[in-house]
Amino acid sequence: MALDPEKFLPMVRAVARSVSRQFPSYVDAQDTEQTLLIWLYEKRASVLKTVEDSPDDWEAKIASTMRK
């Protein structure tokens, strides 16, 4: 299985907006989005395992990790 941008991009954008709203003076949503996309690519094996192991709630688990 490969990382499908169509599947992950909405979640990445939502997390980036959420984080930038918490720290508006310090965090830009677009910069955060790009950072999260790089993180997603670097951690793709772990992310894909989470998707396979938790088909019903993988998005919440990965989004939570991204926010940290």
Side-chain angles (χ1 to χ4, degrees):
M1 182 192 295
L3 287 177
D4 178 4
E6 304 259 339
K7 188 175 191 177
F8 290 93
L9 196 53
M11 176 186 54
V12 169
R13 287 185 174 149
V15 170
R17 282 191 310 267
S18 171
V19 171
S20 70
R21 273 187 249 132
Q22 291 177 338
F23 305 99
S25 299
Y26 306 104
V27 179
D28 178 71
Q30 290 178 333
D31 289 342
T32 303
E33 183 179 325
Q34 293 303 311
T35 301
L36 291 174
L37 288 170
I38 292 168
W39 176 87
L40 190 64
Y41 178 77
E42 290 174 344
K43 305 294 184 190
R44 64 190 171 276
S46 175
V47 168
L48 291 173
K49 180 156 178 39
T50 300
V51 172
E52 290 174 7
D53 291 348
S54 304
D56 295 329
D57 65 341
W58 65 267
E59 192 169 348
K61 290 180 178 185
I62 294 170
S64 174
T65 301
M66 286 180 165
R67 283 185 181 90
K68 295 175 185 173

